[in-house]
Amino acid sequence: MGHQHKRGIARTQTALLPAAVEDYVGAHALVRVIDRYVDGLDMVALGFKKSVPLGEGRPPYAPDDLLKLYLYGYWNRVRTSRKLEAECRRNLEMMWLLGLLVFDHKTIADFRRENAQAFKAVCAQFVQFLRCAQLVGGEAPVVAVDGSKFKASASKASLVSAEQAAKQRARIEQRVAQYLAQMDEADEQEAAEGEPDRAHIAAALELLRRRDERLQQAQAQLAAQAEAAKGKEQTPRVGLTDPDCVMLRASGTTGIAGYNVQQAVDAEHKLIVAHEVTTERNDHASLEPMASQAQQALGAESMMVLADTGYMNGAQASACEAKGITPVVPMQEAANTQAPNLYPKSQFIYDPATNTYRCPAGELLKRYKRDRKAQTDYYWTSACARCEKKPQCTRSKRRSIARSWHADAAERAHARAQRNPRFMRLRSAIGEHPFGNLKAMMPGGFLLRTLPKVKGEMALAVLTYNLKRTLSILGFEQLMQKLQMMIAPSWA
């Protein structure tokens, strides 16, 4: 008898699957971690919708089952409601996790849409679990603050300026006139061959009217923003698909419609201790808010925060120091794009004792102007007119040097980064690792629209990342033991 191929069990055989659902997954399967974790949560206290079933009508699905579904989905990069519904029907681990429940895609989508605040609450609570497990914090915590751009559930074309909105409304007006003319022609030629479909035209008109209404609302928003945008380089835009998203410059692209996601990562194990979704186009004003969130989450009286040059802001550094937070942020060398061969500002030495600057020619620059609104002082000297080095210094009548009222704090933050280059290497290793994982988990960016819902979606992703990272750090057995304590937690 010749050799034969190895074949599977015949489909007509009775015991194709294990007799008990418990046997569907292995003893150390990740779904057991998700199951143990969610079972320790107080869904009512966390604010999940339908946590308390009503005494009448059809009973709702339990929110803890739906949370398990989403954690498993995000863990395995399955995020859309229809794909999660399909997993309920075919995935053995999902069948074990949910007890053979099958949710329809609308129930799945509604749960994520309605529980944004609850996702944020459970994400924050997990950070407290990490503190209890001594995985974050410590006596002198160090955190890295970083930001990244995530694409919104909208295209660049959906972000319109006032000029674009006006042009689009004009085109819509022309299309409406054409459709109305077709309907009039159809009325005159009853039952004629090739008569336009009135139902189709009516539907097209309705779509055009809806878009025109959105454009009209966008024009009203843009008019309100016009005054605040005076003097700014970027043209104000409003989203028609997602009204909260903004145009952002992202690495390797000409720009995206998206959100700026901020995070604070603990240096010990690269766990995210605080995060925020913003519509800020840069990171200039995000250092103190993120550092303060991290400080509060860790319960630390003092801590160190590391950030890159995009976060350099004297006012932010000063605010951090006032709260016991030590910022380490390097300055970016200001480039004079109009006159690149002139002396940079760094060549002018400030003397805090006399509140003056010493220029490269040795002349003294004194303060001549104070701008209270900008919190900035300006310095110059009358010696510029007769200075031999003026061609290398300025093309104006005099060289003026601006100094922020918070420049001392900025210089201290810069000096710390200069004295210890390892801090910036550490920042890169800590801060960029989680974003790489989050973007792999969320290919294509956000699925939900508007800022409150997007914040909830990001909280769900951060929670999944932290849980997954904790499993990698502790291992299955130790993590399961610590999660078992959540049933009666002493840290809550």
Side-chain angles (χ1 to χ4, degrees), residues 21 24-25 31 65 68-74 76 78 83-103 108:
V21 177
Y24 281 18
V25 300
V31 286
D65 283 333
K68 292 176 183 179
L69 170 72
Y70 268 111
L71 287 174
Y72 182 86
Y74 273 68
N76 291 282
V78 179
K83 287 184 178 180
L84 288 170
E85 178 185 359
E87 291 300 304
C88 291
R89 301 179 186 278
R90 69 187 182 191
N91 188 311
L92 290 181
E93 289 187 328
M94 192 77 86
M95 292 177 185
W96 177 91
L97 186 63
L98 304 177
L100 300 180
L101 279 176
V102 177
F103 305 108
I108 296 171

Side-chain angles (χ1 to χ4, degrees), residues 14 77 98 162 179 208 226 263 281 395 424 433 439 487:
T14 304
R77 304 178 190 178
L98 304 177
Y179 277 127
L208 289 172
Q263 66 177 11
R281 291 179 172 82
R395 294 175 181 174
M424 289 301 100
H433 173 271
K439 291 205 169 184
I487 297 174

Side-chain angles (χ1 to χ4, degrees), residues 385-402:
R386 60 180 185 276
C387 182
E388 295 180 355
K389 294 185 177 181
K390 183 182 177 183
Q392 289 82 44
C393 187
T394 181
R395 294 175 181 174
S396 302
K397 185 177 180 181
R398 293 178 180 177
R399 176 69 181 263
S400 178
I401 299 295

Side-chain angles (χ1 to χ4, degrees), residues 22-37:
E22 176 63 24
D23 299 329
Y24 281 18
V25 300
H28 293 78
L30 67 91
V31 286
R32 295 186 183 274
V33 173
I34 295 172
D35 187 62
R36 177 69 59 84
Y37 166 62

